Amino acid sequence: MTASGPVLRIAYLYPDLMNLYADRGNVTCLVQRCVWRGITPEIRRLEWNDRLVEAADLYVIGGGQDRQQQLASQGLTTRNADRILSDLADGAAMLAVCGGYQLMAHRYRAADGSELPGLGVFDAETIHPGANVPRCIGNVVCDWNDSRLVGFENHGGRTYLGTDAAPLARVLRGHGNNAEDGTEGAVAGAAIGTYLHGSVLPKNPHLADHIIRTALAHSAPEFKLEPLHDSAEWAAHRAALRVAGLR
Amino acid sequence: MPIRRPIATLAGRTAGALSRLTRRGGGTAVSGLVTSALDPGFVPESLRQLHSTVTITGTNGKTTTTAALCALARAAGQPVLTNPTGSNLERGLAAALLPHVNWTGQIRDAPNLRAILELDEWAFAALAPTIRPRVAVFLNLFRDQLDRYGEVDRTAAAWQEAIDRLDPDATVVANADDPAVVAVARNHRGPVLFFGADVTGSSTTPDAWADVRRCPLCDGRLDWNRVVYAHLGSYRCLCCDFHRPKTAVRITDFQPGGLTGSSYRLITPDSDGYIQVKLPGLYNAYNLAAAVVGAQAAGIPTANAKDVLETFQPAFGRAETIHAPGTTITLLLVKNPTGANQTLDLLRSEPEPLDTLVLLNDGVADGEDVSWIWDVEFERLAPRRLQVGGRRAEDLALRMKYAGVAPTVDDVQVLPGIAPALDAAMKAGSTDRTRRLIVLATYTAMLDLRAVCTRRGWVAPYWQSAA
Ligand SMILES: [Zn+2]
């Protein structure tokens, strides 16, 4: 395919620290779905002590272990808050998964009571109820607009949305944000936070394209996304519905 | 002896016999489950009668290392008690002990018998304080079934607690090349012996999915002067004095030999020579080095280690060869990104592309979360023909599509059943002169595939081939 389309600048936040649960599969998916349509993805991988200078059209961050999450929180809040928040205010898109999602809300209160500050992209906070409370682990299916999202969740923290936050989806199977209110993830402008991995984007190609579309709306609003041949994607999506006990 | 012990051992034996009679399996786990549930003191109290206990734990290589250590002990004329079928939870130990225990709970010839036991990472942490190993071997620590084990840092913390409670005169044997292992092993109050590989890696940066990127002690930047694979290599911290320790046993001059073996120089305190083994890959060189250090730490003579290791055969499902009519199958267990990537490197070292079948299940023993396949660099796979199968075959097919593996990914048939996928893969290759089939399979998929091959009379059941 010819690369006649626009460039998509992707800032991949802290792959060194936040790479649990194969979240890099999301980047693989975004890159391929761009390349297949002649969009040129430009990926910038941010290390812990890096400072982002140039703007990005799309931010991606995955999940991490507790210790790595502390480092990521420091890197985000002390070095890169202004850049990220001003890009998002300009309409840049974001996919924040699991630990990354927690760090994009106001704060994360760990099992030991210590608090990690987040960027406040989402009006939400996360509380870890303690090491003896079971984690939220298992297959997830949720309603998203007129369709479904599938994935696997594995998180100790419970996320509670504030009045200014909209949930991404409604849980049909699994726990979602907190196992209480039926919400999963959060949306703020073109930023999406979610607990789904699996990796989430490859078997939810409609979500992957939604993210590429909103990111391009920021940089190349006239470009139209061609549909792709997604039979393998939807077969894996259906397999995830099956293991979650739906269909 | 608690009064319930005879009841517990009898109940366990009966359950095991029933399991074999009903052909549900080797009876290994069932008998132990019944016994250890009825009598929680059974495992530690039985083991304490023995000469000594050696434990082997780590993410990858437990079964192979345990089998090699047993082979070294037997060659030295020392009787061994072991759990050879990879049943590495408490129930597996109970099952291994049951045949040796009489109705009063006594083990025949106990003072001469040595237990050499493979233990799951969390089973080690839970059991080590009561079974009190004389030698505890730690192979490596990689991400594996995060849905069951949680994060790698949590496993390391659990190991640390268990190491802190080891007897001070117990010996810890640890992989010098794994910073996560060294960070906990170095705190043992007694002797610590390290093994490692002095081989030039292709890189000085750990893989993108590696679990250790920063100093386990201070979070400072780790500087690698070589990476062997994943996060294994030679490293030092730029912020504190943490660094790769000196090794008692090391591998140098490693020469890969594809799927069928490898050769290298093995240097120990009392020997130095080249060996040619039937186990492929550097990951197995680590396992054999660990077995040699473990044997030396346990007082097992290793003078004839070269002969023992050169004739040592892979454990079942670990590069095991199965002869089917018209096709030679090589069965390779893959269960986490590090092991899978090592296996893909082996396939790449073969002279020509191979017919390949990949099987993915999502049972509890495989990990119900199949996300890990996105950390496997299937981009390295260049098969001649590709077939996928298993309960999550669709996820594999999708991963292969994004890896760009098959030139025509739409030709990849998705056959969730194990037998249909095997038949399709064998049929695809059946017109060829060289009929070789490589099978990569997760744990339960490997057992299922072996069960299919056993029913067809191509291979003995796993509990017989492991004995
Ligand atoms: Zn350090």
Side-chain angles (χ1 to χ4, degrees):
Chain A
M1 197 154 294
T2 51
S4 55
V7 166
L8 187 72
R9 297 167 299 175
I10 302 175
Y12 186 8
L13 300 176
Y14 310 124
D16 259 27
L17 302 168
M18 308 291 280
N19 69 346
L20 224 54
Y21 309 119
D23 290 317
R24 69 202 197 103
N26 292 326
V27 176
T28 306
C29 176
L30 290 167
V31 165
Q32 288 286 23
R33 297 183 74 81
C34 284
V35 169
W36 287 332
R37 291 162 163 133
I39 303 163
T40 305
E42 275 179 8
I43 299 197
R44 204 136 18 95
R45 284 164 211 276
L46 209 70
E47 287 219 16
W48 176 65
N49 42 1
D50 287 348
R51 190 181 291 273
L52 263 173
V53 182
E54 289 163 57
D57 307 311
L58 171 57
Y59 286 92
V60 180
I61 182 168
Q65 308 192 59
D66 284 354
R67 233 169 31 148
Q68 282 84 329
Q69 203 147 323
Q70 269 176 33
L71 291 172
S73 163
Q74 268 178 43
L76 283 172
T77 53
T78 61
R79 279 184 284 278
N80 292 302
D82 294 348
R83 173 83 270 165
I84 295 171
L85 293 176
S86 75
D87 284 356
L88 291 178
D90 281 352
M94 170 180 277
L95 173 69
V97 178
C98 204
Y101 166 40
Q102 295 170 345
L103 291 182
M104 291 300 157
H106 294 306
R107 68 191 69 82
Y108 173 76
R109 197 197 300 156
D112 63 3
S114 62
E115 281 202 0
L116 283 185
L119 283 193
V121 172
F122 305 112
D123 177 24
E125 64 176 359
T126 303
I127 296 165
H128 196 300
N132 297 324
V133 179
R135 294 172 68 86
C136 300
I137 303 179
N139 291 293
V140 187
V141 178
C142 41
D143 269 329
W144 178 58
N145 301 332
D146 297 327
S147 60
R148 282 170 173 177
L149 298 177
V150 295
F152 198 95
E153 64 182 333
N154 186 349
H155 52 105
R158 269 66 166 171
T159 299
Y160 299 91
L161 304 181
T163 47
D164 288 347
L168 169 70
R170 293 276 162 193
V171 176
L172 293 172
R173 288 283 189 283
H175 306 86
N177 280 332
N178 49 46
E180 293 166 31
D181 61 16
T183 63
E184 157 50 33
V187 181
I192 287 176
T194 179
Y195 274 116
L196 300 187
H197 55 265
S199 305
V200 64
L201 294 187
K203 52 189 152 203
N204 294 290
H206 52 333
L207 179 64
D209 284 354
H210 170 81
I211 289 169
I212 296 172
R213 202 174 290 118
T214 50
L216 284 176
H218 172 243
S219 61
E222 72 291 348
F223 188 81
K224 291 272 174 286
L225 281 195
E226 288 291 320
L228 297 171
H229 180 60
D230 281 337
S231 57
E233 284 79 352
W234 289 114
H237 183 95
R238 284 191 302 273
L241 289 176
R242 188 184 71 222
V243 297
L246 289 164
R247 285 202 284 180
Chain B
M1 181 190 74
I3 189 71
R4 61 176 176 264
R5 183 142 310 152
I7 301 166
T9 52
L10 178 65
R13 287 198 183 97
T14 310
L18 279 173
S19 164
R20 275 185 292 271
L21 272 178
T22 54
R23 294 170 179 272
R24 293 181 66 85
T28 46
V30 181
S31 60
L33 183 63
V34 170
T35 305
S36 56
L38 290 173
D39 182 3
F42 176 74
V43 167
E45 283 159 34
S46 302
L47 285 174
R48 255 178 257 147
Q49 298 174 36
L50 303 185
H51 172 277
S52 59
T53 295
V54 178
T55 59
I56 294 100
T57 193
T59 311
N60 288 341
K62 294 184 284 288
T63 301
T64 298
T65 306
T66 304
L69 233 164
C70 289
L72 289 166
R74 288 182 180 124
Q78 302 193 353
V80 169
L81 184 155
T82 187
N83 53 336
T85 52
S87 188
N88 58 19
L89 305 176
E90 183 173 10
R91 68 187 73 155
L93 306 195
L97 284 161
L98 261 179
H100 298 267
V101 177
N102 71 13
W103 70 275
T104 62
Q106 298 304 302
I107 293 179
R108 289 177 294 278
D109 201 25
N112 292 317
L113 193 56
R114 190 192 309 269
I116 299 179
L117 304 169
E118 139 175 18
L119 277 174
D120 159 274
E121 297 90 296
W122 283 87
F124 171 82
L127 291 171
T130 54
I131 67 178
R132 298 175 60 186
R134 290 286 305 163
V135 178
V137 180
F138 298 88
L139 295 171
N140 46 55
L141 192 49
F142 303 120
R143 61 178 58 188
D144 179 39
Q145 297 182 31
L146 295 164
D147 55 315
R148 192 151 63 110
Y149 293 113
E151 302 164 347
V152 168
D153 285 350
R154 286 186 54 225
T155 309
W159 279 4
Q160 187 66 74
E161 271 184 42
I163 287 172
D164 290 345
R165 294 170 66 188
L166 288 178
D167 292 342
D169 56 350
T171 303
V172 161
V173 171
N175 189 338
D177 293 358
D178 188 333
V181 168
V182 171
V184 294
R186 68 202 284 272
N187 295 327
H188 176 50
R189 290 169 294 170
V192 185
L193 296 174
F194 290 102
F195 60 93
D198 287 354
V199 297
T200 327
S202 52
S203 159
T204 54
T205 331
D207 290 315
W209 42 269
D211 295 293
V212 180
R213 317 271 301 187
R214 294 188 159 267
C215 174
L217 304 190
C218 78
D219 283 326
R221 204 188 176 100
L222 280 186
D223 179 43
W224 270 265
N225 67 44
R226 63 167 185 272
V227 170
V228 179
Y229 61 83
H231 59 253
L232 305 188
S234 177
Y235 51 85
R236 65 186 181 91
C237 177
L238 297 178
C239 304
C240 73
D241 70 348
F242 185 69
H243 58 87
R244 177 186 190 250
K246 282 210 155 53
T247 52
V249 166
R250 63 199 170 99
I251 302 146
T252 67
D253 305 296
F254 181 82
Q255 299 292 329
L259 284 166
T260 50
S262 51
S263 60
Y264 43 90
R265 184 174 160 202
L266 186 67
I267 304 169
T268 83
D270 49 25
S271 69
D272 180 352
Y274 287 84
I275 63 170
Q276 182 148 21
V277 299
K278 292 174 177 153
L279 273 55
L282 250 170
Y283 62 95
N284 273 318
Y286 276 113
N287 295 336
L288 296 188
V292 170
V293 199
Q296 291 178 344
I300 298 167
T302 54
N304 55 352
K306 177 179 160 73
D307 296 339
V308 177
L309 298 180
E310 290 195 334
T311 51
F312 181 72
Q313 296 285 344
F316 79 102
R318 279 81 173 172
E320 182 187 18
T321 302
I322 296 174
H323 294 284
T327 306
T328 302
I329 300 169
T330 305
L331 180 53
L332 296 142
L333 172 68
V334 293
K335 47 178 193 163
N336 50 42
T338 302
N341 286 329
Q342 285 301 293
T343 302
L344 295 179
D345 278 352
L346 280 184
L347 297 185
R348 213 165 42 167
S349 73
E350 286 283 302
E352 48 190 42
L354 299 161
D355 292 347
T356 306
L357 166 64
V358 189
L359 302 171
L360 176 66
N361 275 358
D362 60 357
V364 172
D366 305 292
E368 292 172 56
D369 181 3
V370 296
S371 298
W372 63 277
I373 62 171
W374 291 88
D375 274 333
V376 178
E377 305 203 326
F378 283 111
E379 288 83 357
R380 302 183 193 183
L381 185 63
R384 196 176 62 148
R385 292 195 189 82
L386 178 67
Q387 174 72 50
V388 297
R391 289 215 301 270
R392 299 301 291 270
E394 296 93 342
D395 284 77
L396 263 181
L398 183 60
R399 177 70 191 96
M400 299 302 180
K401 174 177 177 178
Y402 280 87
V405 170
T408 51
V409 75
D410 290 334
D411 293 346
V412 178
Q413 259 185 299
V414 178
L415 292 167
I418 301 288
L422 175 64
D423 288 336
M426 285 179 55
K427 199 174 157 198
S430 68
T431 53
D432 289 80
R433 187 174 46 83
T434 44
R435 298 176 183 182
R436 276 183 81 192
L437 177 64
I438 305 300
V439 182
L440 310 183
T442 59
Y443 190 72
T444 70
M446 185 267 284
L447 293 184
D448 289 352
L449 183 106
R450 262 186 130 272
V452 171
C453 295
T454 301
R455 275 201 300 278
R456 296 177 180 180
W458 301 342
V459 69
Y462 71 89
W463 59 90
Q464 287 174 16
S465 34

